[in-house]
Amino acid sequence: MYRIKAANTYEKRPEDPRGNSYVDYRHKKQDKLDEQLNQQKIDDLFVDCVIMLNGRLEPSANYLRQLIGTHGGKVVFQYMPGVTHIICQNLSASKFIQYSKKTIPVLLPKYILSCVEHKTLLDTTEFILPQLLLEQTQQTQQTQQTQAQEPSPEFRMSQINFNYVVEPVVLDPDSERIQQKLQNLEQQIKIYQLNEIAQIDYGEVIQNVQNTDSQKSSPTQLQYIQNSPVKTHDKINVREYHEQSRLHHLSQWKVEAQQFLIQNPPQGPKPNDTAAPLFMHIDIDCFFVQASYSALSAQQQLLYQSLPLCVCSSSNTGQNSTADIASCNYVARSYGIRNGMWLRTAQEKCKELVILKYDFQVYSEQSKRFYQNLLDISSQIMPVSCDECYIKLSGLISNKEEFMTELKAKIKRSTGLITSIGLGSSLIQARIATKLGKPNGQIHIGKEQFIELIKHKTVDFLPGIGQETATVMNSIGIYSVGDLQHAQLNLLQQTFGEIKGQQLFNSSLGIDSLVFKPIQGGQQQKSKQLQVSQNFGVRLTTLLQLKQFIYNLLVELQAKQKERNQQINRIILHLNVVAKNANPQWAKNGGCGQCEKTTSSCSIQGEVTEYYEQILEPILSQFRVEDVRGADIVGVCGEQQPEIIRNKTNKINDRTSLNQFKELLNNFQEQQQNTNLITGDISQIDQIQDENVREKVKQVIGLQIIKRGNLDDVLKYDDFQQKNYYMQQMWGEFL
DNA sequence: GGTGTGTGGTAGC
DNA sequence: ATCGCTACCACACACC
């Protein structure tokens, strides 16, 4: 759910009454403060110093500034020539590189305090930032620091909700190995005692892991568990788990597709940028089903030819089975079966439903073959997933129908798979064309047709609009794509944010918010983020388990980082904790159910696993073990920060689109003025004190009244009052 | 104005 | 009528 900025909780930044910019305001304020401090000066301790304060500091930068000021020093917040000391605590990776080149000492805030205490400028060597020392002393000091940290005293073992813990966990009924491991888990959980936890020597645990890790045979062979005094966590080997996770593979295949295109650069002609834009979107229909089917024997294929098929991890149809359908063919869909539906439910709808098994190997091969067929079409391909991509065709195609027919036939011959193709003058138009044509479709949509064709679809038909966005849209009176096309842009932007609002509006008009980024052959693809997570089959009840699990994930992240040859300068840790009032039924067998999510992150320099304690500490301090009620799910995300972080793009900047959009807006406003639909008494709105809220309510009501006829109808409409949090708040305020 | 950090939504089968 | 894995985007807010 989008959080709407509550007008009364947001205090605007003070503005200079003379209308100067905030920067001027700040400089003047700083000069004034310097002056004041100079008057209160105690001594000339720092008189020759220009001290730069950087980032978050403990004690706060404000305090340090006053301290330095009253001792005769000058403080700056940005680097400039003449700076004599840099004070900071935690350098981001970019700053690290920047500062490690400078000859100016980079010191901990403790330096200032100590100098004041001893009333003299001390030698700086003792206070150099550990991060920078690390560089020189080859990590020795860092290791000591890490090991010296005690587990947070807030952590206590407490009552564990065993009812929840011992709930049967079924990853894959066919896998005895998994079953065995999970049984072990249950037994282990039961024998846990408080005193055992207290005895763990974390230093030793880490040491053991590092020893095994350095053998490099397999980075995730966690032998430390066998050496550990308490055996706990061998049931969760992240890599083994990922081997049988379809979503893990799905994500990996996308990377593989990218790498395939890098290694086999498309040889097709270069699209003509001056010609009318033309993009193709191509997608394999129900990829998993078709691929699994293609791996069957000819005899079986004949047997299943026109039957409802699906791919599911399990064929267990028992009452409690919650295995879900990864993909189903169009025959099955005619029975009302959908992707993601529980197998049990699906079989109630169609008893003849044939269940095919996952075959990850085949999917991977078919994906490669699929891409192989696309290499000679154009030089610009942008993969979306293992079975789906965009291709730029501007100025390359003469007969569109013929081109699509031939391409589909070619892929069918090579892979046996049926595809759908869409052509359009933007990515989203092509994408929608594919969607409209499925299955086995080939459609070309012109700019003009687009708006008409999807007018009557619900908003979630558009890519980028999922459940949450659709709910919020409904609450402001937008249900169909047509509604969105005629919506007020400023209302959208107020609700969804400036950029997002514009993007949504653009999408409804067939204007891209997605940027076409073709793979550059031969160039190493660098992602901005690497992530490792496991949210299934995890039941943690102790601090030790939690720590070991996170360590496992970090090890896996590190392995991944090395495989991809990427640098990581920040680690983000996501922790899901079972919500206080979570319905236990919601946690599917092994799933996590309703959770509260927390995140913490830290900048890193060096090996990922060395930041084990640092990343854990802030997040652990927010939870106590009693909050961790049995099922905790953890993901670790390493991030390589992009060079340009903020870009405000995606505004309509091409003249035609801008005019088109203005015209639409005018039409709508005109229509609104000429209508007699506004019949309800809306005078109460004027009683709302806060101007922002008042204006917003007016806009929202304006739209609602158009939809519903009059104010009474608006108020009666359930969704309007219940679904959206901010609407509830606002209505509550004046009703 | 800029940076750092935490939150949340979406797609793909 | 819900969860799962990964990469990415947009945004709020704190802090300077």
Side-chain angles (χ1 to χ4, degrees), chain A residues 25 51 65 84 88 101 114 161 187 201 264 302 331 356 360 365 437 448 454 501 532 535-536 605 617 628 636 675 679:
Chain A
Y25 162 79
I51 297 169
R65 188 217 294 216
T84 56
C88 70
K101 286 178 193 156
S114 295
N161 183 347
Q187 288 163 11
D201 177 348
N264 307 283
L302 200 62
V331 183
L356 303 177
F360 295 133
E365 288 164 8
E448 306 75 26
I454 58 165
V532 171
N535 293 292
F536 190 87
Q605 171 71 32
E617 195 176 325
V628 175
V636 178
T675 183
T679 56

Side-chain angles (χ1 to χ4, degrees), chain A residues 314-330:
Chain A
S314 153
S315 53
N316 177 8
T317 56
Q319 275 296 306
N320 294 322
S321 168
T322 51
D324 63 350
I325 289 174
S327 179
C328 60
N329 71 354
Y330 284 82

Side-chain angles (χ1 to χ4, degrees), chain A residues 560-576:
Chain A
K560 192 169 189 171
Q561 172 209 347
K562 290 190 172 149
E563 265 171 37
R564 307 262 189 99
N565 191 23
Q566 286 206 194
Q567 221 190 338
I568 286 177
N569 49 22
R570 197 166 159 224
I571 316 179
I572 305 169
L573 177 66
H574 301 274
L575 182 69
N576 286 358

Side-chain angles (χ1 to χ4, degrees), chain A residues 281-303:
Chain A
H281 178 252
I282 180 165
D283 185 296
I284 302 175
D285 298 337
C286 48
F287 176 57
F288 276 19
V289 170
Q290 282 206 69
S292 279
Y293 178 84
S294 72
L296 297 174
S297 69
Q299 201 182 2
Q300 279 175 312
Q301 287 193 3
L302 200 62
L303 193 64

Side-chain angles (χ1 to χ4, degrees), chain A residues 164 167 320 322 342 582-589 591-594:
Chain A
Y164 194 76
E167 198 179 309
N320 294 322
T322 51
W342 288 355
N583 181 350
Q585 299 293 334
W586 284 20
K588 271 173 32 172
N589 300 335
C592 50
Q594 204 181 27

Side-chain angles (χ1 to χ4, degrees), chain A residues 101-339:
Chain A
K101 286 178 193 156
K102 296 192 194 300
T103 50
I104 305 160
V106 181
L107 307 169
L108 291 166
K110 204 163 59 174
Y111 174 71
I112 303 294
L113 303 180
S114 295
C115 285
V116 172
E117 194 184 331
H118 293 96
K119 296 187 176 166
T120 171
L121 286 181
L122 299 169
D123 184 30
T124 54
T125 45
E126 217 183 303
F127 302 96
I128 291 175
L129 192 72
Q131 266 174 285
L132 291 163
L133 265 185
L134 201 70
E135 183 91 315
Q136 298 153 14
T137 58
Q138 294 297 323
Q139 307 181 0
T140 46
Q141 193 174 343
Q142 177 74 24
T143 323
Q144 285 167 10
Q145 256 201 354
T146 315
Q147 290 179 356
Q149 286 180 2
E150 294 294 324
S152 163
E154 282 217 76
F155 251 89
R156 302 191 300 279
M157 265 300 289
S158 72
Q159 299 295 319
I160 297 167
N161 183 347
F162 285 117
N163 290 335
Y164 194 76
V165 171
V166 296
E167 198 179 309
V169 180
V170 183
L171 286 175
D172 176 2
D174 301 336
S175 165
E176 283 181 26
R177 183 169 48 80
I178 301 281
Q179 278 288 2
Q180 187 61 46
K181 290 193 169 194
L182 291 170
Q183 276 170 20
N184 290 344
L185 159 64
E186 285 177 20
Q187 288 163 11
Q188 285 157 9
I189 288 169
K190 283 178 193 164
I191 60 169
Y192 255 118
Q193 297 298 329
L194 177 57
N195 56 359
E196 286 181 282
I197 302 303
Q199 286 167 8
I200 307 296
D201 177 348
Y202 294 105
E204 192 182 337
V205 171
I206 296 168
Q207 199 61 47
N208 285 334
V209 182
Q210 283 171 346
N211 288 342
T212 40
D213 195 12
S214 64
Q215 290 169 7
K216 296 229 166 168
S217 56
S218 163
T220 46
Q221 278 291 316
L222 300 175
Q223 292 171 20
Y224 71 97
I225 286 155
Q226 287 148 26
N227 301 335
S228 170
V230 181
K231 296 186 181 182
T232 60
H233 218 94
D234 51 343
K235 86 274 178 191
I236 297 174
N237 178 326
V238 181
R239 183 160 291 195
E240 264 182 38
Y241 171 74
H242 283 163
E243 283 303 312
Q244 46 92 50
S245 157
R246 78 167 187 273
L247 282 166
H248 168 78
H249 286 295
L250 205 58
S251 295
Q252 291 321 108
W253 293 330
K254 181 182 175 179
V255 177
E256 277 179 31
Q258 287 169 347
Q259 284 176 350
F260 177 79
L261 290 175
I262 289 165
Q263 284 155 17
N264 307 283
Q267 300 297 325
K270 192 172 179 298
N272 180 358
D273 286 333
T274 56
L278 180 66
F279 291 96
M280 176 177 98
H281 178 252
I282 180 165
D283 185 296
I284 302 175
D285 298 337
C286 48
F287 176 57
F288 276 19
V289 170
Q290 282 206 69
S292 279
Y293 178 84
S294 72
L296 297 174
S297 69
Q299 201 182 2
Q300 279 175 312
Q301 287 193 3
L302 200 62
L303 193 64
Y304 294 153
Q305 206 169 23
S306 52
L307 294 183
L309 306 174
C310 74
V311 171
C312 182
S313 64
S314 153
S315 53
N316 177 8
T317 56
Q319 275 296 306
N320 294 322
S321 168
T322 51
D324 63 350
I325 289 174
S327 179
C328 60
N329 71 354
Y330 284 82
V331 183
R333 285 181 209 203
S334 68
Y335 288 86
I337 296 171
R338 295 285 175 273
N339 287 359

Side-chain angles (χ1 to χ4, degrees), chain A residues 374-393:
Chain A
L374 304 175
L375 296 178
D376 60 349
I377 296 173
S378 160
S379 64
Q380 299 196 350
I381 304 184
M382 170 182 166
V384 177
S385 76
C386 59
D387 73 323
E388 183 185 348
C389 69
Y390 292 105
I391 302 181
K392 190 168 182 181
L393 294 177

